[in-house]
Amino acid sequence: MKKFFAAATVLSLCANMAVCGSTSRAADNQSEENKNVTLCESWTFDAGFYAVVHGGMSSNYGISYWEHNFYDTLVAYEDGEYKGSLAEKWDVSEDGKEYTFTLRDGIKFSDGTPCDAAAVKKSLEAAAVNLGAYIGSYGKLMTVIDTIEAPDESTVVIKLTQPYYGTLNDLSTCNPLGIVNPNGFNDDLTYKADDFQTMTMGTGPYMYQGDFDGSVYTFVRNPYYWGEAPEADTFKIKVISDNDAKVLALRSGEIDAITGAARLSADAYTELSADNSFGTAINDEPTLTNYIGFNMAKAPFDDKNVRLAVEYAIDRDSISNDVFQGTMTPAETLFSKSKPYCDVDATVYSYDPDKAAQLLEEAGWTDSDGDGIRDKDGVPLEMTMLYTSDYGSIGDGMLAIASQLGKVGFKVDVSEMDMMTYYEASMNGEYDIIHYRTYGGSFDPFTPITNMDPAVSADPVAVQFAAFLPEGIVSELNCSSDENRIKEIYNTILTTIPDEALCVPFANTVELAAWNSDKINSYKFCPDSQYVEVSGIDLK
């Protein structure tokens, strides 16, 4: 269950760094007047453990939304392509099994230690060690690395045991492959845990040096940062879990901005958008997809007609417009078509409650006693839908879906759970239907697709799809170097899922931001927009 918990939270455990040039960072570039900004976080953000690999070593998942402010990756995914970050260029062998990266000159970690090829090699090798049993849960690459070599100070060579089409993608994810200072590891490559309680050890624009006053964490500029200097000299994070309390804190000036759909509810965003004292922004690019997953191991969802009835019974437009107030967009497919390999012509279902009712009738579910709840062989069409309310206004969406299903004869009890209980229940198959999400960011579609393979999966919802796919197709995908074949496999997977009604996508999460206009001019979303990019804040 712990391994699945790590895999399922990857929607929270990755980051991509926007590459902003190679302007040097020096102390005399700082403004005479210290500029700072205070932001907030909803998730667990206990003091300590600022490493890039979490796994089972820490419950401090809140920090993962911010890690790319402290750590860089070899490459970054931006505007539909992979770009250099710490690596300025790379070459791939003809057989797809060897990647040679050339590092930028003069990069240093926040303590002045050179970020050379030996440091990168050690960091990548340490990632595998510190992942331990979770290896593979954050991307397949770490399971297929044969050797990592550093033939000179600026060259890193990664040799694989097999081709893997997602190699560059996995290398763009900060958790677990952000590059960490070699001074942070013991001789056996495990983390020096005590050190990571009080400091970050990366090459990013900011760093942490243990400055916590009991309620607020303070982060300062990295004096050795290799890229364009961010505008804010310092930024602070205050943990506020309650949505109403966040808005009050913003209004009072206790915080300066709320960034991200995980922290800003639809109601709060709508309220602040109507107030001229605040600036707001919404990002058009979907972060991840929210969907309804089925327990297809038992009735009634072992029946395709019942699953199709759910497809037709859900009014995606109403949920987006009326419930989420435009802060989420309707989702027709499991992955946004803007994601790599996902621009596939697949079946899309429109809202049609009459069709849903017809399918249920054909499956033998009728309302025999006129109480509005269908039944079959004396068993009512009654079920529980699980969700965890850690993400904006998702609870309101679950109530709306339960109501829409009720109109065609389902009786759906909505059950909110804390995150750990939710994942344990899903892992143990203790659900009928469940609110689920793709993993988000650079993990989509690569890691969710990999987790459809029963041989490696730590995902109890996605792994069910394998029974409807050609045997071994995901394994073939993960060792193919033929782009045409990769596209063919994606087409098969992404058309089979809706054709068999294996899940019901209903809303794309898009990112939100709101800020005090007296302090901030604007906010530019990170290329991987669910993560907070402090350098994207334009201060007054």
Side-chain angles (χ1 to χ4, degrees):
M1 188 276 296
K2 286 184 177 179
K3 181 176 180 182
F4 168 63
F5 177 77
T9 57
V10 294
L11 64 101
S12 308
L13 301 174
C14 61
N16 286 326
M17 189 67 186
V19 179
C20 303
S22 57
T23 305
S24 64
R25 175 73 184 93
D28 58 3
N29 286 337
Q30 296 186 24
S31 61
E32 293 182 4
E33 178 185 358
N34 183 52
K35 291 186 175 183
N36 65 80
V37 63
T38 301
L39 308 168
C40 72
E41 179 54 65
S42 306
W43 284 55
T44 306
F45 203 97
D46 298 328
F49 212 75
Y50 293 95
V52 295
V53 175
H54 287 258
M57 295 180 288
S58 171
S59 61
N60 189 15
Y61 292 109
I63 189 63
S64 61
Y65 280 116
W66 306 79
E67 280 181 337
H68 81 287
N69 291 292
F70 320 124
Y71 296 97
D72 294 317
T73 48
L74 281 177
V75 298
Y77 184 72
E78 183 179 353
D79 299 329
E81 62 179 324
Y82 296 99
K83 299 181 179 181
S85 184
L86 293 181
E88 62 180 357
K89 62 181 181 179
W90 56 89
D91 295 302
V92 185
S93 64
E94 188 173 341
D95 64 2
K97 295 169 64 175
E98 184 172 307
Y99 288 72
T100 302
F101 296 90
T102 301
L103 304 181
R104 297 180 187 274
D105 291 333
I107 305 294
K108 294 183 179 181
F109 292 100
S110 55
D111 67 352
T113 300
C115 180
D116 56 15
V120 171
K121 176 180 184 293
K122 189 171 186 178
S123 179
L124 295 176
E125 291 173 341
V129 171
N130 288 286
L131 279 167
Y134 299 88
I135 195 166
S137 297
Y138 294 81
K140 186 174 179 62
L141 175 61
M142 299 306 290
T143 68
V144 297
I145 290 178
D146 184 13
T147 62
I148 303 173
E149 300 173 0
D152 58 53
E153 289 186 353
S154 62
T155 306
V156 177
V157 181
I158 301 176
K159 296 182 179 181
L160 310 181
T161 59
Q162 63 177 57
Y164 172 49
Y165 77 109
T167 293
L168 291 177
N169 186 79
D170 286 8
L171 287 169
S172 75
T173 58
C174 194
N175 179 3
L177 297 180
I179 302 303
V180 179
N181 191 326
N183 293 332
F185 303 115
N186 296 307
D187 290 342
D188 63 356
L189 297 182
T190 57
Y191 282 125
K192 293 180 179 178
D194 289 344
D195 289 351
F196 281 100
Q197 299 295 322
T198 56
M199 69 182 77
T200 53
M201 296 190 184
T203 58
Y206 291 97
M207 63 183 184
Y208 180 66
Q209 293 180 309
D211 190 354
F212 175 57
D213 65 4
S215 62
V216 175
Y217 300 84
T218 299
F219 302 86
V220 300
R221 282 179 171 179
N222 170 8
Y224 296 100
Y225 181 49
W226 57 276
E228 183 177 340
E231 187 172 353
D233 297 296
T234 65
F235 76 90
K236 300 180 179 183
I237 297 176
K238 184 176 181 64
V239 180
I240 307 173
S241 58
D242 181 75
N243 285 327
D244 292 335
K246 291 175 207 167
V247 176
L248 289 173
L250 185 62
R251 289 190 175 280
S252 70
E254 182 181 351
I255 60 175
D256 300 313
I258 308 171
T259 56
R263 303 162 198 83
L264 189 59
S265 69
D267 287 341
Y269 182 81
T270 302
E271 173 191 335
L272 294 168
S273 295
D275 190 330
N276 291 332
S277 300
F278 301 96
T280 56
I282 187 167
N283 192 42
D284 293 333
E285 180 64 26
T287 301
L288 52 82
T289 305
N290 297 270
Y291 67 92
I292 298 300
F294 303 113
N295 188 339
M296 293 183 283
K298 62 181 183 179
F301 297 113
D302 56 348
D303 187 331
K304 178 180 175 179
N305 273 3
V306 178
R307 301 194 301 270
L308 281 170
V310 177
E311 286 272 15
Y312 285 109
I314 294 179
D315 186 348
R316 296 165 173 83
D317 289 334
S318 174
I319 291 170
S320 175
N321 296 328
D322 301 334
V323 179
F324 297 132
Q325 303 173 52
T327 63
M328 290 192 183
T329 58
E332 297 178 332
T333 54
L334 182 58
F335 302 106
S336 166
K337 289 193 174 185
S338 63
K339 296 288 186 181
Y341 303 107
C342 294
D343 190 6
V344 170
D345 186 13
T347 301
V348 170
Y349 296 94
S350 301
Y351 176 55
D352 190 342
D354 292 335
K355 179 67 172 178
Q358 176 189 337
L359 288 163
L360 291 173
E361 292 280 346
E362 292 174 1
W365 294 94
T366 61
D367 184 3
S368 62
D369 56 8
D371 66 352
I373 302 171
R374 295 178 182 271
D375 56 87
K376 180 179 180 180
D377 300 328
V379 178
L381 191 57
E382 182 174 0
M383 61 208 61
T384 299
M385 179 165 59
L386 306 187
Y387 80 100
T388 179
S389 61
D390 59 0
Y391 214 85
S393 306
I394 202 65
D396 295 333
M398 295 303 96
L399 292 173
I401 287 175
S403 175
Q404 291 175 357
L405 292 175
K407 292 177 181 179
V408 299
F410 290 89
K411 184 178 186 302
V412 181
D413 298 314
V414 178
S415 178
E416 176 186 355
M417 295 181 170
D418 66 85
M419 184 186 292
M420 198 65 179
T421 304
Y422 164 88
Y423 286 127
E424 185 171 5
S426 59
M427 187 65 179
N428 294 332
E430 297 169 353
Y431 68 93
D432 301 306
I433 53 179
I434 187 169
H435 166 248
Y436 219 64
R437 296 190 290 262
T438 61
Y439 302 168
S442 294
F443 290 91
D444 288 353
F446 301 88
T447 305
I449 293 289
T450 292
N451 275 324
M452 294 177 193
D453 183 354
V456 301
S457 182
D459 187 328
V461 176
V463 73
Q464 297 178 90
F465 301 171
F468 300 86
L469 298 172
E471 185 176 357
I473 194 171
V474 177
S475 296
E476 180 188 353
L477 170 69
N478 282 333
C479 64
S480 178
S481 59
D482 182 341
E483 277 292 307
N484 289 329
R485 180 54 181 155
I486 291 169
K487 291 176 182 177
E488 288 176 357
I489 292 174
Y490 263 92
N491 187 79
T492 297
I493 293 172
L494 296 182
T495 55
T496 299
I497 289 170
D499 287 349
E500 295 294 334
L502 303 183
C503 66
V504 183
F506 66 90
N508 290 315
T509 293
V510 293
E511 294 307 317
L512 315 170
W515 58 86
N516 189 322
S517 295
D518 291 337
K519 183 72 173 285
I520 296 172
N521 287 314
S522 63
Y523 176 67
K524 181 181 179 181
F525 291 97
C526 179
D528 194 345
S529 59
Q530 68 181 322
Y531 304 104
V532 181
E533 184 169 53
V534 177
S535 61
I537 296 174
D538 178 20
L539 294 171
K540 293 286 188 182

